Structure formats: structure tokens, C-alpha cells
Amino acid sequence: MKKNCIMNYLSLSNNYFDKAVGMKPLSSSDLIKLLKGVPHESVVQNDSYIYSPVYYLFTGRYGLWSYIRGSIIINILRHPNNQESFLIMPAFNYENGLLSIEVTIDTAIELHKNYPELSFTLARIPSTWHGIMREELKCKEINELDWIFPCRVLSTQLVDNLVGKHFQQVRQRINHLDIKNLSVSDIDINKDSPELLKLVQDWAMIRNMSGYTIEDLVSPTKKIIDLFKSGRLNLHGIKIKCNNKVESFCIYEVKGLIANEFSIISNVDIVGLAEYQMHQMCHHLHLRGVEYINLGGSETEGLDRFKKKFHPVISHNLNSYSYF
């Protein structure tokens, strides 16, 4: 892509899509406030990231346009890995949590009509819409971001207890650890962020992902740390030290009975530490009354296989579609 094209895409204004969408622009502060009121049962039953202000601010870190009409909210995000592409997320009613395929499709049609030079993708589409998207609207299914494999939702109580044969492998991995050399504590984001970033940078240095730079791999954690530091969002986390050095941490958003995971890193050279981190995360959440944690989707089969070791109680199959 030519350099001048990059500059044009980066310079889109905050009101760039206003005329085409035909809805009232919504500030990030108002978005955060309104999403606090979505009923907990909707957040648990559906893909909980749809109702997450952290998700929109995090994934839309290079551009986020939020709109509202009545009680219907829709979000348009610049693709974090491809700044020529834009993601249209499912519209929903913030008062009752119901998703609106009509508003989602209408928005996609207007955006494409008014901005034919831009690429739009209907993203994070729930499985209940798949028939309509494929058969009635003749949309083309495409792979986007981390929902190639389903979003896995764990029971914090089950993973906290680790009882039964189906958790045997997890228990065996944790038994490799010398627990007396480990300490688990809440993250103090202002104090701990340098150590957290150092761990991520070390991980990125040994991570073999073609097409990605070290900064590509580190920048998502930098963004979630910045959001954590802002104090505007319900972000929490724990860190695990081994011999007084941070070797693992996780950051998650709490939304009533469910949490959304946003960053989880462990030193892979320490056998069993990744499993111990998952166990401790669920332990801490279970103690505070959070019943589930959504681990999100996966880009690779290996990562999905790891999540499935903890026996998810809910799996959300999500897809992305090109409508045009």
C-alpha cells in the first residue's frame, strides 16, 4: 500500500461516518456509561465482548466510531491489523441486550454506498445469524482476527476446584511447579506495568509469527495497560512471581457475573505455569462472585486446544462476512 494512502486512512475524522450512518454519534465516555446497564443475563447468554466498552476501545485503538438511535448502539472499528479495512460490529439494544440484524445490515449497506473506496466487514457475527447471512443475504464468509475458533467460556468454580478426571492433565502440569517459590497478587498497574511489558517483550522476541514485528505483538498489551491506567474501566488482573520475578500475568474486565479476558502471558519455559495462571485467575474471580470468564476466540488450533483443556461450559461460534 502506498504511503499517501496510509496517511489518508489515518486522518479520518471522528465524525467521518456520521452522514452515512444517520445515527447520533456516541462519545467513548457515554459508551462506557451506557454499557454498564446492559442486563447481566444477556451478557452471559451472548458473546459478552459485544457489550464490552474495553473491547471496543481496545480493538478500535486505531479508530472507533460509535452511534446510537433510541436504545440501539452500533460500533464501527478500524481493523487493528489492516488500516484499510473497517469492522462493523453487531448492533444491539443496551436496555435489554437484544441484537439487531436489521440495523447491522442497514448500516453496512449505507457505508458501502457512501464509501465504495473503503473495505467493510460484518464482524463477530453470532451463530444465530449465520443462516440469514449465508442463504438470504448471500454474504461471503471470511476469516478475521481471533474468531477462527470459537470463543470459549469457562466456569470459574469448575476451574478453581479442578476436580475430576477431565482436569487430570491440568493438575499434572501444575504439579510440576515448585509452588513455594511462587507468589500470586493483584496487579498494581501503575507500579507493575514495566515488569508486565518486559515479560511481553521477552515473549514476542521468541514468538515465531510471520508478518508481525515485535511492536505488532507488544502494542496490544501496551493499549490494554493504558486503558487499565485510565481508571475509567472495570479492569483487574493478577500477576505471578517466581523467585520474585514476574513470570505470568493476566488482565480481565469484570461485567457482573462474567469476566472478559484481554491479556494473558506466561513464561513458556516454566512447565505448568500457564495452567496455574488459568487456575489462579478463576480462583480470584470465583472468590469475588464472578461465575464465568470468556477467553475469547483463537487464531490457532494450538491456542484453542489449550483453552479446551479447561472444559469450557459455553462456546460461541462467531464469523465475519463480506456483504458486497
Side-chain angles (χ1 to χ4, degrees), residues 212-231:
Y212 292 91
T213 66
I214 298 299
E215 182 59 25
D216 288 336
L217 298 173
V218 174
S219 62
T221 303
K222 287 182 178 178
K223 179 61 179 181
I224 205 67
I225 285 175
D226 287 343
L227 291 173
F228 201 157
K229 286 181 175 180
S230 75

Side-chain angles (χ1 to χ4, degrees), residues 262-277:
F262 281 97
S263 183
I264 185 164
I265 296 286
S266 293
N267 184 337
V268 296
D269 292 330
I270 303 177
V271 177
L273 185 60
E275 287 82 2
Y276 186 63
Q277 172 65 272

